[in-house]
Amino acid sequence: MTAAPRPWALLAELTHGCPLHCPYCSNPLELVRRSRELSTAEWTEVMRRAGEFGVVHTHLSGGEPLLRRDLAEIVTAAESAEIYTQLVTSGVGLDEARLADLIAAGLRSVQLSLQHADPAASDRIAGYRSFAAKERAAALVRKAGLPLGINVVLHRDNLDALDAIIQRGLDWGADRIELANTQFYGWALRNRDALLPSRDQLARARETVEHRRQRLDGTVDLVWVVPDYFDGVAKPCMGGWGAVSLTVAPDGTALPCPAAASLPDLAPPNVRDHTLEWIWDHSTAFNRYRGEEWMREPCRTCSRRAEDFGGCRCQAYALTGDAARTDPACALAPEHGVIRALTDTGQRAGARAPARTGGYVYRKPGGG
Ligand code: SF4
Ligand code: FES
């Protein structure tokens, strides 16, 4: 087994419960029931051990983490372990008293999701009337003086409104706006036909981002997470398998990336049964795609293998049925034709109808 440096980040998926039903949700198709979630004491222990293990940053995420009534206690546990806490939320359920409790517990920053600049379109994509709550949440966070990030998942249905979305984020006082093109696994893969943009849409969006970046001149951080079906290059997913961060799912399952629960033969360990040290250093799941020994051709001898790590294992599995194959997003991958066929089809469809909207399978327990 390859010795790996210790992780610095923990994605704590506190619950899969969520009032929203976004069709690109990064949670697995099989959502963890609330009755199987880790208890307050178990999350407290996860944070204590993570701090001892060298983790310095945690995203408190979900689902909607505000559904956990013990959220402030979990923040306190992270703060006691000297871990920086960022709340990743839809904004639904955040009021002044709740935010004050979280800040008193040690919360450091908030990342708020936004689906669209237009309230009705935002609510339609979320499958829940939530825009007003988001607007209120942004105002509360700014009033409290916490750093505010806005996170927007981009797709066919909102890319053409990108400039207005950026403006909405600026109006809300964001320090950072993350524009993340949809990654197609889990729910997003199920909704790929409705979400896949056209090349023209992406080209216009890139221009918008560049234009806005020049005007903002570094005063607000505009992050563009590149779409990985269109450039013929594989992304260095998660900075490499089991390389920099780990995810703990609501029931304590420990994963090298949030989507890895979809890999059928991974047998991921659980924090209820093992220490984080054992999970990180010795579990089969965290070692399976670490380093380069698992790679096949063309990755095995490719000059880019130390930069992109052969791409995304979950995408390789989703598109080829084998997580050890080269990510089909790469133009050198034997299965790259699968992606080309999709983007070419999307391009032709896009020429006819640039922004077909809706027709989603909304996220809900039981797989939609
Ligand atoms: Fe990356 Fe593998 Fe493609 Fe080379 S062949 S660019 S290592 S995904
Ligand atoms: Fe799992 Fe990329 S999402 S490795």
Side-chain angles (χ1 to χ4, degrees):
M1 285 182 187
T2 315
R6 296 195 155 185
W8 62 269
L10 166 68
L11 175 64
E13 288 184 344
L14 301 182
T15 177
H16 280 166
C18 186
L20 275 58
H21 306 285
C22 305
Y24 48 76
C25 180
S26 62
N27 289 162
L29 293 178
E30 289 303 322
L31 300 168
V32 173
R33 285 194 302 275
R34 305 262 358 233
S35 58
R36 290 176 51 212
E37 290 175 5
L38 295 183
S39 66
T40 313
E42 286 171 320
W43 273 117
T44 300
E45 184 64 3
V46 168
M47 291 301 168
R48 188 184 70 73
R49 287 179 176 263
E52 282 178 0
F53 197 42
V55 168
V56 294
H57 189 122
T58 185
H59 286 97
L60 302 172
S61 179
E64 176 48 69
L66 288 166
L67 287 178
R68 291 282 307 217
R69 293 190 183 170
D70 56 356
L71 181 58
E73 291 168 68
I74 296 169
V75 171
T76 299
E79 176 70 8
S80 304
E82 300 184 19
I83 299 175
Y84 180 100
T85 47
Q86 180 172 63
L87 176 66
V88 183
T89 177
S90 67
V92 176
L94 192 68
D95 59 24
E96 195 155 9
R98 191 88 197 272
L99 183 60
D101 279 352
L102 293 171
I103 293 172
L107 183 70
R108 303 296 185 93
S109 67
V110 175
Q111 190 186 117
L112 188 64
S113 66
L114 175 64
Q115 280 69 23
H116 201 288
D118 173 66
S122 184
D123 291 349
R124 177 176 50 75
I125 294 168
Y128 187 79
R129 199 167 290 177
S130 50
F131 184 88
K134 292 171 185 295
E135 193 157 42
R136 276 195 302 276
L140 286 172
V141 172
R142 294 311 299 163
K143 188 175 159 202
L146 249 54
L148 173 67
I150 301 288
N151 178 22
V152 189
V153 176
L154 296 173
H155 45 81
R156 187 181 192 86
D157 207 348
N158 64 6
L159 269 163
D160 291 335
L162 186 56
D163 197 60
I165 289 171
I166 294 170
Q167 187 58 49
R168 185 68 77 176
L170 298 175
D171 292 345
W172 285 0
D175 308 290
R176 182 176 192 273
I177 303 175
E178 183 170 314
L179 305 164
N181 283 282
T182 303
Q183 312 284 325
F184 291 103
Y185 8 82
W187 292 93
L189 187 58
R190 181 163 283 195
N191 283 294
R192 188 171 57 190
D193 285 352
L195 296 171
L196 193 68
S198 69
R199 283 186 195 279
D200 291 348
Q201 279 186 297
L202 285 168
R204 287 195 297 272
R206 281 194 172 102
E207 279 175 25
T208 299
V209 171
E210 262 327 295
H211 184 61
R212 280 286 188 169
R213 274 195 183 132
Q214 282 171 17
R215 281 169 53 194
L216 287 166
D217 198 23
T219 52
V220 172
D221 200 9
L222 274 194
V223 180
W224 170 257
V225 180
V226 296
D228 62 359
Y229 271 30
F230 288 87
D231 296 336
V233 292
K235 66 175 180 289
C237 195
M238 302 302 294
W241 184 269
V244 295
S245 73
L246 77 161
T247 296
V248 176
D251 62 355
T253 303
L255 297 161
C257 82
S262 66
L263 304 184
D265 57 349
L266 192 65
N270 193 294
V271 297
R272 284 174 163 142
D273 307 321
H274 301 282
T275 64
L276 288 183
E277 290 88 331
W278 185 89
I279 288 169
W280 186 261
D281 288 335
H282 301 294
S283 70
T284 307
F286 276 72
N287 280 289
R288 177 163 295 178
Y289 304 112
R290 228 175 221 157
E292 298 177 358
E293 281 169 25
W294 60 272
M295 287 181 181
R296 304 179 192 153
E297 294 296 349
C299 295
R300 181 176 277 275
T301 52
C302 178
S303 61
R304 281 184 48 80
R305 67 186 186 281
E307 292 161 49
D308 65 22
F309 319 112
C312 173
R313 295 307 88 225
C314 299
Q315 182 151 276
Y317 174 72
L319 297 181
T320 75
D322 182 352
R325 297 187 81 86
T326 297
D327 183 344
C330 172
L332 301 174
E335 287 90 358
H336 184 60
V338 177
I339 294 247
R340 283 307 299 254
L342 285 165
T343 52
D344 290 350
T345 305
Q347 178 64 13
R348 285 195 296 277
R352 290 196 303 273
R356 185 174 74 80
T357 56
Y360 301 131
V361 178
Y362 284 103
R363 166 212 201 268
K364 62 180 178 184

